[in-house]
């Protein structure tokens, strides 16, 4: 009890002296409480045959039935495989390309040109996903520019978004175009913190720009890269549904249907709320397990970790 009183007194004193900082962080805390923590009560639906008219606490309890239905359905293997495939491609392609772009941007010495490149690369991030999806549909349609370029090699004019084999390349490339510049910001911030004296020492030792990159730059931003990698792996099962549902169609479900789009169809189109909650819960649990494992491995190997 005495310890608790001392702790509360210390917290009150800290709040009094740093009230401005607490006010700044308050909107973020409220956002996560309202939109992330409070909705967790809805996970009860995963174990119910949820009926809106009965409410959250009076709907029939079905135990693990929703989970068994998902694991035994034909959609389980397809959605998990497609989700992992798209996340894996983003991890193998988009993640290193974003780092490479930041490194190249950091090498530009002409300030005005650098600002132009930054502005142009950042702009797509602020375009609405609906607008981006519309552009992709136009460019990849049978008469679109991208489809016409592809037809020069395939000798066949076709709608790229109607072909399962083209779905993932279109998804990855368009995502890279939209998020490349904005995703590089955190690495540029990390690069600005690398001690410039290290570059001078490396230059004196005869290291060219490439060697400086490998022996000074990359080690300097390695902690940032590792943290971002841990976060990426922790989100590997969370491919966003917005872009998918705006672009996909039954012709490409084979390679385009992912867990989040399946949850959308089952929950909002078929009104099977308990089932979709169970699928979403499975998705979140796998993400949490991957995050903890990756963080533990990183802590053991590099001494850099989230917690």
């Amino acid at each position: 009890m005495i310890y608790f009183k001392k702790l509360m007194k210390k917290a009150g004193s800290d709040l009094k002296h740093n009230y401005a900082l607490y006010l700044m962080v308050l909107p973020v805390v409220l956002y996560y409480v309202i939109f992330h923590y409070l909705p967790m009560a809805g996970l009860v639906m995963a174990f119910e045959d949820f009926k809106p008219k009965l409410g959250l606490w009076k709907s029939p309890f079905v135990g693990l039935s929703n989970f068994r239905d998902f694991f035994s359905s034909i959609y389980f293997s397809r959605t998990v495989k497609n989700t992992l495939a798209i996340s894996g491609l983003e991890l193998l392609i988009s993640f290193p390309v974003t780092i490479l772009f930041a490194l190249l941007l950091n090498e530009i010495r002409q300030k005005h040109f650098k600002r132009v490149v930054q502005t142009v690369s950042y702009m797509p991030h602020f375009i609405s996903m609906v607008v981006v999806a519309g552009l992709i549909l136009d460019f990849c349609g049978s008469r679109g520019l991208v489809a016409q370029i592809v037809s020069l090699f395939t000798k066949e004019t076709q709608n790229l978004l109607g072909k399962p084999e083209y779905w993932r390349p279109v998804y990855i490339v368009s995502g890279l175009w939209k998020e490349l510049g904005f995703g590089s910001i955190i690495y540029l911030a990390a690069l600005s913190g690398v001690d410039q004296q290290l570059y001078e020492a490396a230059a004196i030792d005869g290291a060219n720009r490439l060697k400086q990159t490998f022996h000074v730059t990359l080690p300097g931003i390695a902690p940032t890269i590792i943290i971002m990698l841990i976060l990426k792996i922790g989100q590997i099962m969370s491919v966003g549904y917005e872009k998918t549902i705006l672009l996909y169609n039954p012709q490409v479900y084979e390679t385009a249907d992912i867990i989040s789009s399946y949850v959308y169809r089952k929950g909002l189109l078929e009104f099977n709320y308990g089932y979709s909650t169970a699928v979403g819960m499975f998705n979140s649990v796998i993400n949490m397990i991957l995050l903890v494992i990756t963080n533990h491995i990183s802590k053991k190997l590099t001494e850099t970790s989230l917690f």
Side-chain angles (χ1 to χ4, degrees):
M1 189 66 181
I2 297 176
Y3 174 78
F4 179 74
K5 288 182 178 179
K6 288 183 178 179
L7 184 64
M8 292 301 296
K9 184 178 180 180
K10 184 177 180 181
S13 177
D14 187 64
L15 178 62
K16 182 179 179 180
H17 289 88
N18 300 294
Y19 68 93
L21 295 177
Y22 284 101
L23 286 176
M24 290 176 63
V25 79
L26 182 61
V28 178
V29 173
L30 289 176
Y31 168 80
Y32 278 97
V33 170
I34 295 172
F35 294 104
H36 290 270
Y37 286 97
L38 292 180
M40 288 178 70
L43 292 176
V44 175
M45 288 191 294
F47 307 96
E48 297 176 338
D49 180 16
F50 180 75
K51 305 295 183 184
K53 65 180 180 180
L54 297 177
L56 195 63
W57 309 113
K58 294 183 179 180
S59 295
F61 182 78
V62 296
L64 299 177
S65 178
N66 289 321
F67 293 94
R68 285 196 296 267
D69 291 344
F70 175 56
F71 295 148
S72 61
S73 72
I74 61 172
Y75 300 103
F76 173 70
S77 59
R78 185 176 76 179
T79 54
V80 171
K81 180 186 70 174
N82 291 339
T83 302
L84 290 175
I86 291 176
S87 293
L89 287 172
E90 288 183 333
L91 195 62
L92 292 174
I93 298 174
S94 301
F95 185 73
V97 168
T98 302
I99 298 172
L100 178 61
F101 178 75
L103 292 174
L104 293 174
L105 198 58
N106 188 60
E107 293 297 319
I108 299 177
R109 294 292 175 259
Q110 219 289 329
K111 292 185 178 180
H112 295 292
F113 178 67
K114 184 176 182 179
R115 290 174 182 172
V116 170
V117 174
Q118 285 179 301
T119 303
V120 171
S121 63
Y122 295 167
M123 286 177 64
H125 172 80
F126 300 100
I127 302 176
S128 167
M129 183 56 72
V130 176
V131 176
V132 171
L135 292 172
I136 296 172
L137 288 169
D138 287 339
F139 282 114
C140 295
S142 56
R143 295 185 179 181
L145 177 61
V146 176
Q148 293 296 322
I149 294 174
V150 172
S151 68
L152 297 176
F153 300 94
T154 62
K155 308 301 181 183
E156 181 182 0
T157 302
Q158 54 194 335
N159 178 11
L160 300 183
L161 294 176
K163 294 287 185 178
E165 61 270 23
Y166 290 124
W167 168 260
R168 289 171 188 166
V170 170
Y171 188 98
I172 297 300
V173 172
S174 60
L176 187 61
W177 166 77
K178 189 176 188 301
E179 300 297 338
L180 178 64
F182 195 80
S184 67
I185 291 177
I186 190 168
Y187 300 110
L188 288 171
L191 286 167
S192 66
V194 179
D195 190 349
Q196 296 300 310
Q197 293 181 352
L198 296 175
Y199 292 106
E200 296 174 3
I204 293 173
D205 290 339
N208 55 28
R209 296 301 301 176
L210 183 61
K211 290 183 177 180
Q212 290 177 31
T213 299
F214 281 107
H215 297 288
V216 178
T217 306
L218 288 177
I221 64 173
T224 302
I225 294 175
I226 292 170
I227 292 297
M228 295 303 296
L229 180 61
I230 293 172
L231 292 174
K232 282 285 186 182
I233 294 177
Q235 298 172 344
I236 204 166
M237 297 288 284
S238 297
V239 180
Y241 71 92
E242 299 94 341
K243 185 178 176 181
T244 300
I245 64 175
L246 287 170
L247 296 177
Y248 79 162
N249 56 75
Q251 290 178 299
V252 294
Y253 276 178
E254 178 186 345
T255 57
D257 196 21
I258 56 178
I259 291 177
S260 57
S261 62
Y262 181 60
V263 168
Y264 166 80
R265 288 204 313 277
K266 296 298 290 187
L268 296 181
L269 300 184
E270 299 181 19
F271 307 109
N272 195 341
Y273 301 110
Y275 185 89
S276 62
T277 303
V279 178
M281 185 176 180
F282 160 78
N283 192 40
S284 299
V285 169
I286 297 300
N287 276 337
M288 184 185 69
I289 292 172
L290 290 173
L291 177 65
V292 172
I293 292 175
T294 307
N295 185 77
H296 179 72
I297 294 173
S298 175
K299 192 173 184 179
K300 289 290 185 181
L301 296 180
T302 66
E303 297 184 356
T304 300
S305 62
L306 286 172
F307 49 85

